[in-house]
Amino acid sequence: MTKDDYTIRPEREEDFREVENLTREAFWNVYAPGCTEHYVLHCYRPKEDFVRELDLVMEKDGIIIGHIMYVRSHILSIDGRIVPTMTFGPISIAPAHKRRGYGKILLDYSIEKAKEMGTGALAITGNIAFYGKSGFVAAKTKGITYQLDPDGDYFLIKELVPGYLNGISGTFKDPDGYTVNDADFEEYDKQFPPKQKLRLPGQLVPIEHKE
Ligand SMILES: CC(C)(COP(=O)(O)OP(=O)(O)OC[C@H]1O[C@@H](n2cnc3c(N)ncnc32)[C@H](O)[C@@H]1OP(=O)(O)O)[C@@H](O)C(=O)NCCC(=O)NCCS
């Protein structure tokens, strides 16, 4: 797709390092000191539940400024059914291009592609201030809870097939690939330029109070 000043296209092997660095730059010190999202992406690509058709980059002036990836996931219904869903992320926009609408364009484009593939619903943990604009709602309002935090308002869902979740109550667990081995990660991260890990207000890990 080419429109205005950007292009969205599938990620190619020669983009891998650039996209991992972009992911690192986008997430660094945002939710925790440093970040591991670029390693999640790195480890996911060869896995079976990685959705190759939805591994997309956004280019502007020949430079990659955005990326999104999807994985196959599911809701475990209380009646024992496994209800297929997809989960996406990391989604990254280069720091210099944040809050100019590119993230929403990339997300909405990828959602349309997921819909064309017949995906019934998307389930993710994230900020409703961003995802709400693309039609996500708190999953617990639809009877679906997040296994790690059943009351969490940040566990979000979007039906792509209307009524797909009607009559379904159940729980969602993050796909296993979102958990990384810390020691392996530290070794992998050494390939990137050094960056300082900082504890900052607004991160999801609490700031320790020194007595
Ligand atoms: C989150 C991210 C992908 C959003 O992309 P973006 O291009 O910056 O966002 P957009 O400009 O498309 O945002 C559209 C609207 O969503 C909302 N929004 C976006 N980011 C937000 C944030 N961090 N907090 C609150 N609202 C946000 C705003 O209402 C925004 O409109 P506005 O700028 O006119 O107020 C990007 O900022 C990013 O890479 N962040 C770091 C990594 C990250 O957090 N990824 C998501 C993990 S859940």
Side-chain angles (χ1 to χ4, degrees):
M1 180 173 89
T2 304
K3 196 183 151 204
D4 300 326
D5 64 344
Y6 62 85
T7 301
I8 297 175
R9 63 161 175 84
E11 188 191 28
R12 298 192 281 255
E13 197 167 342
E14 58 267 31
D15 304 322
F16 285 1
R17 178 49 61 95
E18 187 181 348
V19 172
E20 287 168 35
N21 194 51
L22 161 74
T23 307
R24 187 176 186 252
E25 292 292 327
F27 278 86
W28 194 261
N29 290 336
V30 173
Y31 297 103
C35 68
T36 56
E37 279 78 0
H38 51 308
Y39 189 52
V40 169
L41 163 65
H42 175 80
C43 296
Y44 246 126
R45 287 197 196 93
K47 288 184 199 280
E48 219 172 86
D49 53 346
F50 183 74
V51 186
R52 247 152 280 287
E53 301 90 318
L54 299 177
D55 175 20
L56 301 170
V57 297
M58 180 179 237
E59 264 182 346
K60 180 173 151 54
D61 304 326
I63 292 170
I64 296 175
I65 63 149
H67 172 258
I68 190 166
M69 59 157 268
Y70 281 66
V71 299
R72 292 185 184 81
S73 59
H74 64 265
I75 291 162
L76 182 58
S77 169
I78 50 172
D79 62 13
R81 273 182 291 165
I82 290 177
V83 181
T85 52
M86 276 191 199
T87 297
F88 61 81
I91 170 173
S92 310
I93 294 293
H97 296 281
K98 278 182 189 172
R99 301 301 286 262
R100 295 188 196 165
Y102 291 117
K104 184 171 181 338
I105 291 169
L106 178 60
L107 176 61
D108 289 348
Y109 178 82
S110 68
I111 290 173
E112 274 310 307
K113 288 267 159 213
K115 206 188 232 176
E116 285 166 19
M117 290 172 69
T119 310
L122 302 176
I124 52 141
T125 54
N127 187 346
I128 190 77
F130 176 55
Y131 297 114
K133 301 216 157 148
S134 295
F136 284 81
V137 296
K140 64 183 186 186
T141 64
K142 296 259 178 193
I144 317 294
T145 55
Y146 184 45
Q147 195 196 40
L148 290 180
D149 181 6
D151 280 332
D153 290 322
Y154 55 87
F155 173 53
L156 310 174
I157 210 136
K158 178 179 166 78
E159 280 183 339
L160 301 189
V161 173
Y164 185 72
L165 298 172
N166 285 359
I168 291 172
S169 301
T171 54
F172 175 88
K173 180 173 161 290
D174 291 311
D176 292 342
Y178 283 105
T179 309
V180 297
N181 175 289
D182 287 346
D184 293 348
F185 164 70
E186 291 301 339
E187 203 44 48
Y188 159 84
D189 197 56
K190 286 179 187 158
Q191 304 162 45
F192 293 88
K195 278 178 93 72
Q196 206 186 353
K197 291 183 184 177
L198 297 173
R199 274 191 183 270
L200 299 174
Q203 290 176 344
L204 299 177
V205 288
I207 295 193
E208 285 165 29
H209 293 284
K210 294 206 171 98
E211 303 275 315

